[in-house]
Amino acid sequence: MPHRIQIRMARVDDVDAIDALLTPFSERDIILPRTRDNLFQHLQEFAVALFDGELVGVVAMHIYGSNLAEVRSLVVREDMHGRSIGRLLVEACEKWAVQLGIACIFALTYVPQFFTKNGYATVPKESLPHKVWTVCVHCAKFSDCQEVAVEKRLSDAPIEPMRELPIMDVSQP
Ligand SMILES: CC(C)(COP(=O)(O)OP(=O)(O)OC[C@H]1O[C@@H](n2cnc3c(N)ncnc32)[C@H](O)[C@@H]1OP(=O)(O)O)[C@@H](O)C(=O)NCCC(=O)NCCS
């Protein structure tokens, strides 16, 4: 029987599972830490991936302005890597951004190869608007940050605006 991957907006009853997914990666400084309060306060930015009904991936999209959004807090459970779940989560953010009329999406990441495989270009961090740094200044690694900035222009991308919340249903062998 094929496996089923669904991408849907996060709900309050997902917060425990999202917290459990993010914490091992924030403890290794791969992503920024988030408290449970922070997860609840920003829940409308989050989408989750379900694999056969189990929550195994998460992503957040933060809007900076009329033409810029960031992919944040992207994590797929380690035993689920390599099943296109990360790609589907990022694509959901892109469709969501297009639906909202946002022209460009970026990420600060230690895995730029994952993003370049998904159509992102590496850009100088300095090219990002000043307000992006309001988050960075709170990071312990701010003065020695090895993250790479990647971005994708969405206005010319062949992505159909979605009429509803970004929900995907994918079957896998
Ligand atoms: C990065 C991450 C989300 C990728 O999730 P995933 O579900 O394993 O990725 P996918 O299966 O969708 O991979 C899509 C493509 O990217 C490639 N890819 C995935 N992870 C990669 C990596 N670390 N380096 C290089 N390429 C990678 C895959 O090989 C695949 O390429 P293909 O289409 O040619 O086969 C996952 O590895 C993860 O949770 N990492 C830890 C947290 C993290 O670093 N998050 C990013 C913060 S910005």
Side-chain angles (χ1 to χ4, degrees):
M1 182 142 155
H3 295 290
R4 186 175 186 208
I5 299 171
Q6 294 168 284
I7 310 291
R8 63 156 170 78
M9 303 305 298
R11 303 191 299 236
V12 283
D13 57 356
D14 295 325
V15 164
D16 285 344
I18 294 172
D19 192 25
L21 269 183
L22 295 180
T23 300
F25 292 96
S26 61
E27 284 176 350
R28 282 145 62 190
D29 286 335
I30 294 171
I31 57 165
L32 285 174
R34 285 182 182 266
T35 61
R36 279 171 53 83
D37 274 354
N38 180 281
L39 289 176
F40 280 115
Q41 286 160 13
H42 296 274
L43 199 61
Q44 286 154 305
E45 298 185 353
F46 278 85
V48 294
L50 307 181
F51 185 85
D52 290 342
E54 190 181 1
L55 199 155
V56 298
V58 62
V59 72
M61 187 182 77
H62 181 77
I63 299 171
Y64 279 96
S66 61
N67 58 3
L68 191 67
E70 179 183 11
V71 173
R72 283 183 178 177
S73 300
L74 170 66
V75 160
V76 174
R77 206 174 74 192
E78 263 173 323
D79 62 320
M80 286 287 150
H81 285 184
R83 290 180 171 270
S84 300
I85 296 169
R87 178 177 57 77
L88 291 168
L89 283 166
V90 170
E91 281 179 11
C93 288
E94 292 166 10
K95 290 184 179 181
W96 194 6
V98 168
Q99 184 185 24
L100 292 167
I102 294 166
C104 184
I105 193 161
F106 80 95
L108 288 164
T109 183
Y110 295 110
V111 286
Q113 305 92 330
F114 163 77
F115 283 94
T116 51
K117 278 206 165 177
N118 290 294
Y120 286 70
T122 304
V123 293
K125 270 189 280 192
E126 299 68 33
S127 70
L128 298 174
H130 192 68
K131 55 188 160 185
V132 171
W133 306 110
T134 55
V135 177
C136 295
V137 292
H138 298 297
C139 175
K141 292 183 176 175
F142 180 55
S143 58
D144 182 30
C145 176
Q146 302 300 315
E147 283 188 317
V148 174
V150 290
E151 74 170 26
K152 187 175 193 175
R153 299 263 158 205
L154 300 173
S155 51
D156 300 321
I159 297 171
E160 286 296 311
M162 292 183 68
R163 303 282 171 234
E164 297 171 349
L165 296 174
I167 294 169
M168 291 184 193
D169 239 37
V170 179
S171 292
Q172 274 193 345

